[in-house]
Amino acid sequence: MGKVILKAENISKQYRLGLVGTGSLMHDLNRFWHRIRGKEDPYLKIGSVNDRSSKATEDYVWALKDINFEVEEGEVLGIIGKNGAGKSTLLKLLSRVTSPTTGIIKSKGRIASLLEVGTGFHPELTGRENIYLNGAILGMTKAEIASKIDEIVAFSGCEMYIDTPTKRYSSGMTVRLAFAVAAHLEPDILVVDEVLAVGDAEFQKKAIGKMQEISGGDGRTVLFVSHNMASVSSLCSRAILLENGCISYSGSTEQAIDRYLKDSIRSTDVNHELFPIINHDFAVSFDAIKLIQKSENIIQIELSVQTLNDLNEIGFGFRIKDIHDVYIASFTPGLTGITVDLPKGKSTISLEIENFIDVVSGGQYYIDVWLAKPKLQMIIFVEKAIGYYILPKDWYGTGMEYDRNRHGLIKINANLSID
Amino acid sequence: MYSSRNETWLFEISSKRKLIDLNFKEIWRYRDLLFLFVKRDLVTVYKQTVLGPLWFFIQPLFTSVIFTLIFNKVASISTGVVPAFLFNLAGITAWNYFKVCLTGTSNTFRANAGIFGKVYFPRFIVPMSKAISNLVKFGIQLLIFIGFYLYYVYYQGVDLAPNVFIMLFPVYVLLIVIYGLGLGMIISTFTTKYRDISILLTFAIQLLMYVSAVPYPIGQLKAKVPEYSWMVDYNPLAQIIEGFRYTVFGTEDLYFSWNGFTAICVIGMVVFVFGLILFNQTEKTFIDTV
């Protein structure tokens, strides 16, 4: 077992919901009154679980609750979780921006975050002056910056403007310069938050590439936060999964990703906000949609439908597209001629998809679903009703992942022989 | 697990707060940042202005002229042997330094919320940098003051010379810093959550100047409205301004007592330490409320 460099013990963070006003003044006074009498903060006992979608019932919420973990030197720890699971709050605590409500974080090294781009840039100062200022804010000494300044300037690609005030820069140049400074930080523990990657598509790619390069190389201790499961699984030796402010899993990266994805299919990625959808002409409503993982490769879409009349010969269609809106597959009543008769009242339409997951490469997919009368009269159409993430695949068992950008979208079977 | 209890950690982040958590080692490590903040403050204020650093002079000079006109010519407040203009210039120079320390510190959290919300560095660096960069400006304004002082002594034949109390001059400058930062830190704590305070401060500081003996000697107030002498007697700021003038002019009609001096030093330390405590408490979680 390696040396523990960072340790979090029972950390929790409570936030107050709503606005600051006279009510909060009363709370502050009450809290102060408890404190001078040596009593516990009366508002620590209450607080809802951090679940974004449920309605807040109390004024306080636990963004994080009883988080424990250790990071060893040289380890790359992945932190994954849905939006609002507490990832950013955890990072804020780790970077000492705010302190936990309870618990303690102990660290043996300086922590710096890679994407605090352009913090403290002053528009009136020149690019060079800003490199020094920004570097110092991020924790570098003047000497450290001086030894790297040429490298930083070169990386930013702003040589020509380096002695011009940054207010004359285009926003792209400012971001480049800022990222160049951040990328040359050498803290003991680096926090990389890929979720925060900003800028245009090209720059995002460059930034993420650089982050992965830093995270991957030279045995540095890294906390890696990302929504991109492929990069988490390739970089991290261990991962923790945050769910509603608690660690729901901590251990091997594969396990954590597995749980995260199962979880995300169950709840986030079905676009519940779309439902119910009602078509008054036909007196039909889509009430809900569900995606069920029946086995490793078989998924089933279940659609709850309600009608006021019997509707005969109704087609149910869907099509699958990828993140670039490229259609991968369709199953439409116009094509297949398959229809069902919908009886009056509530019913559930099920559709089992047999050979999709096993032939496409890993990544994010979306499913559009609709109800239609034959001869293509659309009744209800729901775009991107379901999002589905497929794990990167190692089809040939060689440890190489089938990458959609490099290898293609689908798997083919080919036989190699020699005569 | 038990062995880890004895391990030394570089730092710990927790909700438990030491009353005063001023980590000098850490501040020393961030000295370059302190220097760069000072430089930024000095360089950027008058960028893209025609007169540039001349503005450092213009403001106190014009204020002194107006004060002389209103308080000494119109209201005929006597400043004794000291020429009214020089008297006002001394008071305004000292008061300005206090004012910028106070206002600069009081909006530390709000003005830097962007940076504070993203990276950690010892927050006390910011008030320190304000005190230092303004000390430079104060120094420049002091040069003007000395220039006029010499002009009055050598060309106008005014019989003025600082006496041995000039030795206390650096102490008074330090007192200005201590009060400015101390009060500023106290106010900064409240402005993070309740912005009413910062609105209050802008005009309160204006009024405070008048009750702090800036445009008149304490002796004059005591002579003219003795029933209000408590206003300056119990006002450490008035004592500091008057004491500051006493160290530079050394005239007998200015008011100085060792008891008063000791009192303002003690009160100053109390205010500063109290400010530091509040500042420490606030810096940990203010980002949640700002």
Side-chain angles (χ1 to χ4, degrees):
Chain A
M1 195 175 147
K3 223 174 83 194
V4 173
I5 191 167
L6 181 75
K7 190 171 179 180
E9 292 174 356
N10 287 320
I11 52 171
S12 302
K13 180 74 188 173
Q14 189 185 50
Y15 280 111
R16 186 171 203 288
L17 297 175
L19 295 166
V20 172
T22 37
S24 50
L25 182 61
M26 288 309 294
H27 279 196
D28 281 352
L29 293 174
N30 194 5
R31 191 174 279 139
F32 174 72
W33 175 233
H34 275 74
R35 200 162 67 205
I36 54 175
R37 287 181 303 162
K39 293 203 175 165
E40 202 190 331
D41 186 337
Y43 300 105
L44 277 187
K45 287 172 209 146
I46 57 172
S48 332
V49 176
N50 175 17
D51 187 350
R52 190 165 29 98
S53 46
S54 68
K55 188 154 165 29
T57 49
E58 292 171 76
D59 284 348
Y60 293 89
V61 69
W62 290 102
L64 287 174
K65 187 96 175 122
D66 299 327
I67 302 287
N68 284 289
F69 64 90
E70 285 184 357
V71 185
E72 284 165 24
E73 215 172 330
E75 190 177 31
V76 181
L77 177 74
I79 299 171
I80 54 179
K82 287 185 278 177
N83 285 330
K87 297 187 299 291
S88 305
T89 307
L90 184 58
L91 293 192
K92 269 190 183 167
L93 294 180
L94 288 173
S95 49
R96 300 174 81 183
V97 162
T98 179
S99 71
T101 314
T102 65
I104 187 162
I105 298 168
K106 294 172 179 173
S107 170
K108 274 186 196 148
R110 279 195 290 163
I111 303 178
S113 172
L114 185 51
L115 258 170
E116 299 316 355
V117 162
T119 311
F121 261 42
H122 195 291
E124 296 286 355
L125 296 177
T126 68
R128 192 183 302 277
E129 287 167 326
N130 266 317
I131 291 178
Y132 276 98
L133 184 62
N134 188 226
I137 288 174
L138 294 174
M140 286 195 261
T141 63
K142 219 176 158 186
E144 272 175 338
I145 305 165
S147 69
K148 284 185 188 158
I149 185 124
D150 294 332
E151 232 177 295
I152 295 173
V153 174
F155 185 88
S156 71
C158 302
E159 282 99 335
M160 199 175 160
Y161 300 90
I162 204 66
D163 291 311
T164 308
T166 46
K167 65 177 174 182
R168 307 258 176 262
Y169 282 31
S170 74
S171 54
M173 273 159 64
T174 314
V175 177
R176 273 164 181 278
L177 188 67
F179 186 79
V181 180
H184 287 82
L185 272 175
E186 278 178 2
D188 306 315
I189 302 168
L190 187 69
V191 175
V192 178
D193 192 351
E194 211 179 66
V195 179
L196 297 178
V198 286
D200 58 17
E202 187 207 352
F203 182 74
Q204 248 181 45
K205 226 173 182 175
K206 188 178 173 184
I208 290 175
K210 180 78 186 173
M211 284 190 249
Q212 293 178 342
E213 182 193 315
I214 293 171
S215 316
D218 52 81
R220 211 188 294 195
T221 313
V222 180
L223 301 181
F224 189 77
V225 180
S226 175
H227 281 158
N228 183 347
M229 292 305 127
S231 47
V232 171
S233 70
S234 67
L235 292 171
C236 304
S237 44
R238 213 160 57 84
I240 57 179
L241 172 62
L242 287 177
E243 211 175 320
N244 296 335
C246 304
I247 293 186
S248 67
Y249 178 79
S250 164
S252 82
T253 313
E254 290 71 40
Q255 282 281 322
I257 291 176
D258 241 30
R259 280 169 183 253
Y260 168 71
L261 293 175
K262 265 190 199 140
D263 181 62
S264 56
I265 292 163
R266 198 174 56 231
S267 52
T268 30
D269 284 37
V270 170
N271 213 339
H272 287 299
E273 284 158 28
L274 296 173
F275 297 95
I277 303 170
I278 298 164
N279 181 319
H280 292 286
D281 295 341
F282 286 89
V284 184
S285 91
F286 260 5
D287 288 341
I289 195 161
K290 246 196 319 198
L291 189 87
I292 298 166
Q293 185 95 34
K294 294 205 80 171
S295 71
E296 198 188 338
N297 287 328
I298 299 172
I299 49 174
Q300 179 169 311
I301 302 172
E302 279 187 13
L303 197 60
S304 308
V305 188
Q306 245 186 97
T307 76
L308 292 180
N309 315 304
D310 289 330
L311 290 172
N312 292 329
E313 292 190 355
I314 297 297
F316 173 58
F318 69 89
R319 71 184 169 209
I320 303 172
K321 53 191 182 187
D322 70 2
I323 43 170
H324 307 296
D325 282 341
V326 173
Y327 296 130
I328 311 297
S330 295
F331 183 89
T332 77
L335 208 61
T336 59
I338 299 171
T339 57
V340 288
D341 293 338
L342 278 184
K344 200 169 133 183
K346 289 185 182 180
S347 46
T348 305
I349 304 171
S350 303
L351 228 140
E352 213 176 81
I353 305 173
E354 286 177 352
N355 69 336
F356 176 69
I357 296 172
D358 49 341
V359 294
V360 293
S361 56
Q364 180 72 43
Y365 295 90
Y366 295 99
I367 305 175
D368 301 339
V369 295
W370 65 89
L371 281 184
K373 286 290 263 185
K375 292 172 205 159
L376 299 177
Q377 187 179 12
M378 193 64 84
I379 301 174
I380 292 174
F381 176 82
V382 192
E383 202 184 356
K384 291 192 178 177
I386 304 171
Y388 188 77
Y389 185 87
I390 297 177
L391 275 175
K393 291 170 179 176
D394 175 18
W395 263 320
Y396 301 97
T398 53
M400 282 292 293
E401 269 163 16
Y402 201 84
D403 179 72
R404 65 176 309 140
N405 294 324
R406 278 196 296 159
H407 305 121
L409 207 57
I410 59 160
K411 182 201 179 192
I412 53 160
N413 294 320
N415 297 312
L416 184 68
S417 61
I418 190 160
D419 289 328
Chain B
M1 254 345 219
Y2 280 100
S3 67
S4 69
R5 299 236 166 133
N6 307 322
E7 286 179 79
T8 50
W9 300 91
L10 182 69
F11 61 85
E12 296 185 349
I13 311 164
S14 78
S15 57
K16 291 185 198 74
R17 299 147 185 188
K18 273 183 259 168
L19 267 187
I20 299 182
D21 191 11
L22 202 54
N23 189 338
F24 288 106
K25 231 166 103 185
E26 201 173 53
I27 290 177
W28 177 245
R29 208 173 64 216
Y30 277 91
R31 63 192 182 280
D32 289 331
L33 179 63
L34 176 62
F35 169 74
L36 284 164
F37 271 154
V38 171
K39 193 177 151 198
R40 179 193 66 182
D41 285 350
L42 290 175
V43 173
T44 55
V45 192
Y46 296 119
K47 275 234 173 147
Q48 219 169 358
T49 58
V50 179
L51 295 178
L54 277 181
W55 284 107
F56 288 143
F57 308 141
I58 291 169
Q59 193 257 347
L61 286 182
F62 276 57
T63 319
S64 299
V65 169
I66 298 296
F67 273 23
T68 309
L69 188 69
I70 303 295
F71 292 101
N72 309 106
K73 294 285 190 295
V74 178
S76 50
I77 291 171
S78 160
T79 55
V81 200
V82 186
F85 175 75
L86 198 59
F87 179 90
N88 286 327
L89 194 56
I92 285 162
T93 306
W95 179 259
N96 268 349
Y97 186 39
F98 167 75
K99 188 176 89 176
V100 288
C101 281
L102 178 68
T103 50
T105 309
S106 69
N107 68 7
T108 300
F109 290 113
R110 280 188 54 199
N112 295 287
I115 304 181
F116 285 4
K118 286 182 169 174
V119 270
Y120 173 81
F121 53 85
R123 305 311 193 204
F124 191 62
I125 293 268
V126 174
M128 264 172 94
S129 74
K130 290 272 181 260
I132 296 173
S133 62
N134 285 313
L135 183 66
V136 176
K137 292 177 201 168
F138 172 73
I140 296 172
Q141 294 177 351
L142 210 57
L143 287 178
I144 305 295
F145 171 73
I146 292 169
F148 276 98
Y149 200 115
L150 296 176
Y151 166 79
Y152 276 109
V153 171
Y154 290 106
Y155 291 93
Q156 303 283 318
V158 181
D159 181 25
L160 266 184
N163 56 18
V164 68
F165 280 97
I166 190 76
M167 308 287 281
L168 285 181
F169 180 80
V171 181
Y172 274 101
V173 176
L174 191 66
L175 278 170
I176 292 173
V177 175
I178 285 174
Y179 275 87
L181 292 199
L183 291 173
M185 285 190 292
I186 293 171
I187 295 167
S188 73
T189 301
F190 297 108
T191 51
T192 57
K193 203 162 182 182
Y194 302 103
R195 307 231 165 134
D196 316 50
I197 314 290
S198 58
I199 301 167
L200 179 73
L201 183 68
T202 42
F203 82 93
I205 195 140
Q206 201 70 25
L207 299 183
L208 199 59
M209 181 178 74
Y210 293 107
V211 297
S212 297
V214 176
Y216 52 84
I218 282 182
Q220 284 285 307
L221 182 118
K222 282 177 181 277
K224 286 187 175 169
V225 278
E227 66 272 28
Y228 285 111
S229 66
W230 53 267
M231 204 164 75
V232 288
D233 283 341
Y234 300 113
N235 179 352
L237 295 172
Q239 300 293 327
I240 291 176
I241 299 294
E242 184 83 350
F244 179 88
R245 282 190 299 238
Y246 184 69
T247 62
V248 290
F249 298 128
T251 51
E252 288 308 312
D253 49 348
L254 286 169
Y255 182 84
F256 179 87
S257 79
W258 281 107
N259 283 343
F261 178 74
T262 318
I264 56 171
C265 286
V266 171
I267 296 171
M269 286 320 290
V270 171
V271 167
F272 187 76
V273 169
F274 184 60
L276 212 51
I277 292 172
L278 286 180
F279 192 82
N280 266 310
Q281 306 262 319
T282 310
E283 67 173 17
K284 294 205 164 181
T285 53
F286 90 96
I287 204 70
D288 307 334
T289 49
V290 75

